[in-house]
Amino acid sequence: MPLKIEREDQTTINLTPMIDIVFLLIIFFMVSTKFSELNEAERDVAVNVPTVTDAKALTSAPQKRVINVFEDGSITLDREQVTLQQLKSQLTAAKKQYHKVGVVIRGDAQSLYQNVASVMATCRQAEIADLNLSVQETQLR
């Protein structure tokens, strides 16, 4: 009688479903995690900071500084007569106190444009980013 030898195949484990589940778990945890914008120094200190419902700035932003350029070329900053050098130094000082300080330039319609351009250049030298020119709207006929 012939001897029958059974050959056992090696059993293998299919890892594809397990890898799929692991990737789904990674995606789930990445999506559900709240990423904190705190830097390392703030994250390492165990302090419970208070919460507020209506968060606003502690101090309000200062009003825009008004520069008037008159017909004769004279310049005022907030109703105080100044030269271009004084204007630059006062705007630079204001910029140091509040870095987002704004300026409104009001040039007389009869004034030379060069006077207004000089004031604009002075504001640029003082690194004023919020610069506005004031105009008056006319009615079309």
Side-chain angles (χ1 to χ4, degrees):
M1 175 152 112
L3 200 50
K4 195 173 186 184
I5 299 177
E6 286 188 29
R7 220 169 145 196
E8 289 187 28
D9 289 334
Q10 293 225 354
T11 57
T12 59
I13 299 175
N14 189 1
L15 295 178
T16 305
M18 185 178 75
I19 292 172
D20 289 343
I21 290 174
V22 169
F23 280 132
L24 285 174
L25 286 173
I26 290 172
I27 292 171
F28 172 76
F29 287 121
M30 285 177 60
V31 170
S32 64
T33 301
K34 178 182 175 188
F35 291 102
S36 176
E37 294 181 8
L38 299 175
N39 61 22
E40 291 295 323
E42 291 176 344
R43 207 175 306 137
D44 291 340
V45 178
V47 173
N48 292 330
V49 295
T51 58
V52 294
T53 56
D54 189 22
K56 292 183 181 176
L58 294 176
T59 59
S60 61
Q63 290 188 350
K64 293 184 186 237
R65 309 291 301 265
V66 178
I67 302 172
N68 291 309
V69 181
F70 294 98
E71 184 178 359
D72 62 353
S74 61
I75 303 167
T76 62
L77 175 64
D78 297 330
R79 298 183 180 177
E80 178 184 325
Q81 187 87 18
V82 292
T83 64
L84 285 175
Q85 289 299 326
Q86 292 170 338
L87 177 66
K88 181 181 176 185
S89 64
Q90 288 184 21
L91 290 178
T92 304
K95 174 89 172 168
K96 286 180 183 176
Q97 288 180 351
Y98 184 72
H99 70 280
K100 292 184 179 179
V101 66
V103 170
V104 176
I105 299 175
R106 299 178 66 230
D108 191 292
Q110 304 304 318
S111 175
L112 293 175
Y113 183 70
Q114 180 61 48
N115 297 334
V116 176
S118 298
V119 170
M120 291 172 61
T122 303
C123 292
R124 178 74 176 144
Q125 290 171 355
E127 298 179 1
I128 303 295
D130 186 8
L131 184 64
N132 300 293
L133 292 175
S134 180
V135 294
Q136 190 173 23
E137 186 177 355
T138 61
Q139 299 293 330
L140 294 177
R141 295 178 191 187

